[in-house]
PDB file of all heavy atoms in Angstrom:
ATOM      1  N   GLY Y  22      99.058  66.981 -17.106  1.00  0.00           N
ATOM      2  CA  GLY Y  22      99.191  67.034 -18.497  1.00  0.00           C
ATOM      3  C   GLY Y  22      97.842  66.983 -19.245  1.00  0.00           C
ATOM      4  O   GLY Y  22      97.783  66.488 -20.332  1.00  0.00           O
ATOM      5  N   GLU Y  23      96.872  67.465 -18.521  1.00  0.00           N
ATOM      6  CA  GLU Y  23      95.527  67.327 -19.155  1.00  0.00           C
ATOM      7  C   GLU Y  23      95.200  68.531 -19.961  1.00  0.00           C
ATOM      8  O   GLU Y  23      95.811  69.597 -19.883  1.00  0.00           O
ATOM      9  CB  GLU Y  23      94.376  67.134 -18.019  1.00  0.00           C
ATOM     10  CG  GLU Y  23      94.517  65.909 -17.337  1.00  0.00           C
ATOM     11  CD  GLU Y  23      93.437  65.770 -16.226  1.00  0.00           C
ATOM     12  OE1 GLU Y  23      92.525  66.660 -16.209  1.00  0.00           O
ATOM     13  OE2 GLU Y  23      93.496  64.726 -15.463  1.00  0.00           O
ATOM     14  N   TYR Y  24      94.162  68.364 -20.753  1.00  0.00           N
ATOM     15  CA  TYR Y  24      93.662  69.398 -21.710  1.00  0.00           C
ATOM     16  C   TYR Y  24      93.312  70.709 -20.903  1.00  0.00           C
ATOM     17  O   TYR Y  24      92.652  70.620 -19.893  1.00  0.00           O
ATOM     18  CB  TYR Y  24      92.406  68.828 -22.359  1.00  0.00           C
ATOM     19  CG  TYR Y  24      91.637  69.730 -23.245  1.00  0.00           C
ATOM     20  CD1 TYR Y  24      92.073  70.086 -24.511  1.00  0.00           C
ATOM     21  CD2 TYR Y  24      90.397  70.200 -22.840  1.00  0.00           C
ATOM     22  CE1 TYR Y  24      91.373  70.939 -25.339  1.00  0.00           C
ATOM     23  CE2 TYR Y  24      89.601  71.061 -23.588  1.00  0.00           C
ATOM     24  CZ  TYR Y  24      90.121  71.410 -24.840  1.00  0.00           C
ATOM     25  OH  TYR Y  24      89.467  72.254 -25.655  1.00  0.00           O
ATOM     26  N   GLN Y  25      93.793  71.826 -21.433  1.00  0.00           N
ATOM     27  CA  GLN Y  25      93.565  73.050 -20.703  1.00  0.00           C
ATOM     28  C   GLN Y  25      92.488  74.065 -21.288  1.00  0.00           C
ATOM     29  O   GLN Y  25      91.888  74.713 -20.644  1.00  0.00           O
ATOM     30  CB  GLN Y  25      94.899  73.856 -20.652  1.00  0.00           C
ATOM     31  CG  GLN Y  25      95.772  73.329 -19.557  1.00  0.00           C
ATOM     32  CD  GLN Y  25      95.221  73.553 -18.189  1.00  0.00           C
ATOM     33  OE1 GLN Y  25      94.885  74.625 -17.802  1.00  0.00           O
ATOM     34  NE2 GLN Y  25      95.091  72.474 -17.473  1.00  0.00           N
ATOM     35  N   SER Y  26      92.410  74.018 -22.696  1.00  0.00           N
ATOM     36  CA  SER Y  26      91.651  75.083 -23.334  1.00  0.00           C
ATOM     37  C   SER Y  26      91.105  74.517 -24.654  1.00  0.00           C
ATOM     38  O   SER Y  26      91.844  73.745 -25.294  1.00  0.00           O
ATOM     39  CB  SER Y  26      92.428  76.372 -23.554  1.00  0.00           C
ATOM     40  OG  SER Y  26      91.696  77.302 -24.299  1.00  0.00           O
ATOM     41  N   LYS Y  27      89.951  74.981 -24.997  1.00  0.00           N
ATOM     42  CA  LYS Y  27      89.486  74.600 -26.352  1.00  0.00           C
ATOM     43  C   LYS Y  27      89.921  75.548 -27.421  1.00  0.00           C
ATOM     44  O   LYS Y  27      89.578  75.308 -28.575  1.00  0.00           O
ATOM     45  CB  LYS Y  27      87.923  74.495 -26.280  1.00  0.00           C
ATOM     46  CG  LYS Y  27      87.206  75.776 -26.119  1.00  0.00           C
ATOM     47  CD  LYS Y  27      85.724  75.543 -26.052  1.00  0.00           C
ATOM     48  CE  LYS Y  27      85.004  76.830 -25.710  1.00  0.00           C
ATOM     49  NZ  LYS Y  27      83.545  76.602 -25.501  1.00  0.00           N
ATOM     50  N   VAL Y  28      90.644  76.557 -27.039  1.00  0.00           N
ATOM     51  CA  VAL Y  28      91.176  77.528 -27.963  1.00  0.00           C
ATOM     52  C   VAL Y  28      92.645  77.504 -27.936  1.00  0.00           C
ATOM     53  O   VAL Y  28      93.264  77.692 -27.008  1.00  0.00           O
ATOM     54  CB  VAL Y  28      90.669  78.956 -27.643  1.00  0.00           C
ATOM     55  CG1 VAL Y  28      91.246  80.001 -28.619  1.00  0.00           C
ATOM     56  CG2 VAL Y  28      89.176  79.038 -27.587  1.00  0.00           C
ATOM     57  N   SER Y  29      93.277  77.241 -29.193  1.00  0.00           N
ATOM     58  CA  SER Y  29      94.637  77.201 -29.234  1.00  0.00           C
ATOM     59  C   SER Y  29      95.189  77.956 -30.497  1.00  0.00           C
ATOM     60  O   SER Y  29      94.373  78.052 -31.559  1.00  0.00           O
ATOM     61  CB  SER Y  29      95.130  75.765 -29.228  1.00  0.00           C
ATOM     62  OG  SER Y  29      94.651  75.102 -30.405  1.00  0.00           O
ATOM     63  N   PRO Y  30      96.356  78.478 -30.540  1.00  0.00           N
ATOM     64  CA  PRO Y  30      96.789  79.185 -31.665  1.00  0.00           C
ATOM     65  C   PRO Y  30      97.327  78.386 -32.770  1.00  0.00           C
ATOM     66  O   PRO Y  30      97.850  77.319 -32.477  1.00  0.00           O
ATOM     67  CB  PRO Y  30      97.948  80.104 -31.062  1.00  0.00           C
ATOM     68  CG  PRO Y  30      98.472  79.273 -29.947  1.00  0.00           C
ATOM     69  CD  PRO Y  30      97.250  78.554 -29.415  1.00  0.00           C
ATOM     70  N   SER Y  31      97.215  78.825 -33.998  1.00  0.00           N
ATOM     71  CA  SER Y  31      97.932  78.295 -35.131  1.00  0.00           C
ATOM     72  C   SER Y  31      99.144  79.175 -35.317  1.00  0.00           C
ATOM     73  O   SER Y  31      99.014  80.327 -35.357  1.00  0.00           O
ATOM     74  CB  SER Y  31      97.038  78.369 -36.420  1.00  0.00           C
ATOM     75  OG  SER Y  31      95.905  77.631 -36.164  1.00  0.00           O
ATOM     76  N   VAL Y  32     100.398  78.494 -35.400  1.00  0.00           N
ATOM     77  CA  VAL Y  32     101.523  79.327 -35.477  1.00  0.00           C
ATOM     78  C   VAL Y  32     102.411  78.920 -36.648  1.00  0.00           C
ATOM     79  O   VAL Y  32     102.393  77.832 -37.080  1.00  0.00           O
ATOM     80  CB  VAL Y  32     102.365  79.228 -34.192  1.00  0.00           C
ATOM     81  CG1 VAL Y  32     101.628  79.838 -33.048  1.00  0.00           C
ATOM     82  CG2 VAL Y  32     102.729  77.763 -33.938  1.00  0.00           C
ATOM     83  N   VAL Y  33     103.167  79.868 -37.209  1.00  0.00           N
ATOM     84  CA  VAL Y  33     104.107  79.662 -38.187  1.00  0.00           C
ATOM     85  C   VAL Y  33     105.345  80.462 -37.940  1.00  0.00           C
ATOM     86  O   VAL Y  33     105.319  81.483 -37.325  1.00  0.00           O
ATOM     87  CB  VAL Y  33     103.637  80.126 -39.546  1.00  0.00           C
ATOM     88  CG1 VAL Y  33     102.453  79.220 -39.948  1.00  0.00           C
ATOM     89  CG2 VAL Y  33     103.217  81.555 -39.609  1.00  0.00           C
ATOM     90  N   PRO Y  34     106.485  79.924 -38.346  1.00  0.00           N
ATOM     91  CA  PRO Y  34     107.710  80.811 -38.041  1.00  0.00           C
ATOM     92  C   PRO Y  34     107.774  81.887 -39.006  1.00  0.00           C
ATOM     93  O   PRO Y  34     107.361  81.846 -40.218  1.00  0.00           O
ATOM     94  CB  PRO Y  34     108.852  79.763 -38.355  1.00  0.00           C
ATOM     95  CG  PRO Y  34     108.264  78.795 -39.338  1.00  0.00           C
ATOM     96  CD  PRO Y  34     106.836  78.682 -38.995  1.00  0.00           C
ATOM     97  N   THR Y  35     108.144  83.068 -38.486  1.00  0.00           N
ATOM     98  CA  THR Y  35     108.244  84.184 -39.371  1.00  0.00           C
ATOM     99  C   THR Y  35     109.703  84.643 -39.715  1.00  0.00           C
ATOM    100  O   THR Y  35     109.963  85.240 -40.724  1.00  0.00           O
ATOM    101  CB  THR Y  35     107.577  85.435 -38.737  1.00  0.00           C
ATOM    102  OG1 THR Y  35     108.180  85.692 -37.469  1.00  0.00           O
ATOM    103  CG2 THR Y  35     106.087  85.199 -38.512  1.00  0.00           C
ATOM    104  N   ALA Y  36     110.606  84.213 -38.855  1.00  0.00           N
ATOM    105  CA  ALA Y  36     112.025  84.571 -39.135  1.00  0.00           C
ATOM    106  C   ALA Y  36     112.879  83.788 -38.188  1.00  0.00           C
ATOM    107  O   ALA Y  36     112.440  83.231 -37.282  1.00  0.00           O
ATOM    108  CB  ALA Y  36     112.286  86.058 -38.900  1.00  0.00           C
ATOM    109  N   MET Y  37     114.098  83.702 -38.512  1.00  0.00           N
ATOM    110  CA  MET Y  37     115.045  82.968 -37.621  1.00  0.00           C
ATOM    111  C   MET Y  37     115.873  84.096 -36.835  1.00  0.00           C
ATOM    112  O   MET Y  37     116.505  84.934 -37.410  1.00  0.00           O
ATOM    113  CB  MET Y  37     115.974  82.088 -38.423  1.00  0.00           C
ATOM    114  CG  MET Y  37     115.306  80.930 -39.110  1.00  0.00           C
ATOM    115  SD  MET Y  37     114.597  79.760 -38.017  1.00  0.00           S
ATOM    116  CE  MET Y  37     116.064  78.881 -37.513  1.00  0.00           C
ATOM    117  N   SER Y  38     115.932  83.850 -35.495  1.00  0.00           N
ATOM    118  CA  SER Y  38     116.668  84.756 -34.710  1.00  0.00           C
ATOM    119  C   SER Y  38     117.822  83.835 -34.093  1.00  0.00           C
ATOM    120  O   SER Y  38     117.571  83.007 -33.293  1.00  0.00           O
ATOM    121  CB  SER Y  38     115.857  85.258 -33.534  1.00  0.00           C
ATOM    122  OG  SER Y  38     116.625  85.883 -32.626  1.00  0.00           O
ATOM    123  N   SER Y  39     119.039  84.072 -34.599  1.00  0.00           N
ATOM    124  CA  SER Y  39     120.166  83.152 -34.368  1.00  0.00           C
ATOM    125  C   SER Y  39     119.777  81.672 -34.614  1.00  0.00           C
ATOM    126  O   SER Y  39     119.535  81.270 -35.754  1.00  0.00           O
ATOM    127  CB  SER Y  39     120.728  83.359 -32.880  1.00  0.00           C
ATOM    128  OG  SER Y  39     119.708  83.025 -31.892  1.00  0.00           O
ATOM    129  N   GLN Y  40     119.611  80.876 -33.534  1.00  0.00           N
ATOM    130  CA  GLN Y  40     119.341  79.449 -33.857  1.00  0.00           C
ATOM    131  C   GLN Y  40     117.789  79.105 -33.562  1.00  0.00           C
ATOM    132  O   GLN Y  40     117.359  78.047 -33.805  1.00  0.00           O
ATOM    133  CB  GLN Y  40     120.173  78.598 -32.959  1.00  0.00           C
ATOM    134  CG  GLN Y  40     119.976  78.825 -31.558  1.00  0.00           C
ATOM    135  CD  GLN Y  40     121.246  78.417 -30.717  1.00  0.00           C
ATOM    136  OE1 GLN Y  40     122.371  78.600 -31.276  1.00  0.00           O
ATOM    137  NE2 GLN Y  40     121.139  77.967 -29.594  1.00  0.00           N
ATOM    138  N   PHE Y  41     116.963  80.091 -33.041  1.00  0.00           N
ATOM    139  CA  PHE Y  41     115.657  79.802 -32.678  1.00  0.00           C
ATOM    140  C   PHE Y  41     114.664  80.596 -33.627  1.00  0.00           C
ATOM    141  O   PHE Y  41     114.818  81.677 -33.843  1.00  0.00           O
ATOM    142  CB  PHE Y  41     115.321  80.241 -31.278  1.00  0.00           C
ATOM    143  CG  PHE Y  41     116.157  79.483 -30.256  1.00  0.00           C
ATOM    144  CD1 PHE Y  41     117.246  80.245 -29.581  1.00  0.00           C
ATOM    145  CD2 PHE Y  41     115.963  78.159 -29.950  1.00  0.00           C
ATOM    146  CE1 PHE Y  41     118.068  79.512 -28.796  1.00  0.00           C
ATOM    147  CE2 PHE Y  41     116.797  77.525 -29.029  1.00  0.00           C
ATOM    148  CZ  PHE Y  41     117.823  78.171 -28.400  1.00  0.00           C
ATOM    149  N   PRO Y  42     113.586  79.875 -34.149  1.00  0.00           N
ATOM    150  CA  PRO Y  42     112.671  80.564 -34.946  1.00  0.00           C
ATOM    151  C   PRO Y  42     111.785  81.546 -34.151  1.00  0.00           C
ATOM    152  O   PRO Y  42     111.612  81.381 -32.969  1.00  0.00           O
ATOM    153  CB  PRO Y  42     111.785  79.406 -35.622  1.00  0.00           C
ATOM    154  CG  PRO Y  42     111.961  78.336 -34.583  1.00  0.00           C
ATOM    155  CD  PRO Y  42     113.253  78.484 -33.954  1.00  0.00           C
ATOM    156  N   ILE Y  43     111.365  82.592 -34.779  1.00  0.00           N
ATOM    157  CA  ILE Y  43     110.376  83.516 -34.239  1.00  0.00           C
ATOM    158  C   ILE Y  43     109.032  83.083 -34.682  1.00  0.00           C
ATOM    159  O   ILE Y  43     108.753  83.029 -35.861  1.00  0.00           O
ATOM    160  CB  ILE Y  43     110.743  85.069 -34.547  1.00  0.00           C
ATOM    161  CG1 ILE Y  43     112.066  85.346 -34.063  1.00  0.00           C
ATOM    162  CG2 ILE Y  43     109.649  85.936 -34.057  1.00  0.00           C
ATOM    163  CD1 ILE Y  43     112.553  86.709 -34.511  1.00  0.00           C
ATOM    164  N   TRP Y  44     108.107  82.825 -33.737  1.00  0.00           N
ATOM    165  CA  TRP Y  44     106.869  82.315 -34.135  1.00  0.00           C
ATOM    166  C   TRP Y  44     105.773  83.471 -34.161  1.00  0.00           C
ATOM    167  O   TRP Y  44     105.825  84.327 -33.474  1.00  0.00           O
ATOM    168  CB  TRP Y  44     106.353  81.304 -33.054  1.00  0.00           C
ATOM    169  CG  TRP Y  44     107.235  80.089 -33.011  1.00  0.00           C
ATOM    170  CD1 TRP Y  44     108.337  79.879 -32.176  1.00  0.00           C
ATOM    171  CD2 TRP Y  44     107.309  78.895 -33.898  1.00  0.00           C
ATOM    172  NE1 TRP Y  44     108.895  78.733 -32.391  1.00  0.00           N
ATOM    173  CE2 TRP Y  44     108.324  78.149 -33.509  1.00  0.00           C
ATOM    174  CE3 TRP Y  44     106.564  78.560 -35.013  1.00  0.00           C
ATOM    175  CZ2 TRP Y  44     108.675  77.031 -34.138  1.00  0.00           C
ATOM    176  CZ3 TRP Y  44     106.813  77.459 -35.630  1.00  0.00           C
ATOM    177  CH2 TRP Y  44     107.922  76.584 -35.181  1.00  0.00           C
ATOM    178  N   LYS Y  45     104.835  83.330 -35.034  1.00  0.00           N
ATOM    179  CA  LYS Y  45     103.764  84.297 -35.168  1.00  0.00           C
ATOM    180  C   LYS Y  45     102.379  83.478 -35.162  1.00  0.00           C
ATOM    181  O   LYS Y  45     102.222  82.486 -35.834  1.00  0.00           O
ATOM    182  CB  LYS Y  45     103.869  84.945 -36.533  1.00  0.00           C
ATOM    183  CG  LYS Y  45     102.774  85.937 -36.840  1.00  0.00           C
ATOM    184  CD  LYS Y  45     102.897  86.517 -38.161  1.00  0.00           C
ATOM    185  CE  LYS Y  45     101.583  87.343 -38.477  1.00  0.00           C
ATOM    186  NZ  LYS Y  45     101.565  87.693 -39.945  1.00  0.00           N
ATOM    187  N   ILE Y  46     101.453  83.968 -34.309  1.00  0.00           N
ATOM    188  CA  ILE Y  46     100.155  83.421 -34.307  1.00  0.00           C
ATOM    189  C   ILE Y  46      99.417  83.827 -35.465  1.00  0.00           C
ATOM    190  O   ILE Y  46      99.200  85.008 -35.695  1.00  0.00           O
ATOM    191  CB  ILE Y  46      99.467  83.718 -32.916  1.00  0.00           C
ATOM    192  CG1 ILE Y  46     100.207  83.243 -31.794  1.00  0.00           C
ATOM    193  CG2 ILE Y  46      98.044  83.277 -32.966  1.00  0.00           C
ATOM    194  CD1 ILE Y  46      99.628  83.565 -30.483  1.00  0.00           C
TER     195      ILE Y  46
END
């Protein structure tokens, strides 16, 4: 469970697909 990368995405939901959101970087 340790740190893997110094680069990570910022994400926001763009739409809902049935019950799960679709994420966009």
Side-chain angles (χ1 to χ4, degrees):
E23 292 181 10
Y24 174 75
Q25 282 295 304
S26 175
K27 64 182 177 184
V28 178
S29 61
S31 299
V32 295
V33 295
T35 57
M37 292 297 281
S38 167
S39 65
Q40 62 207 31
F41 301 105
I43 297 172
W44 299 97
K45 176 184 173 192
I46 296 176

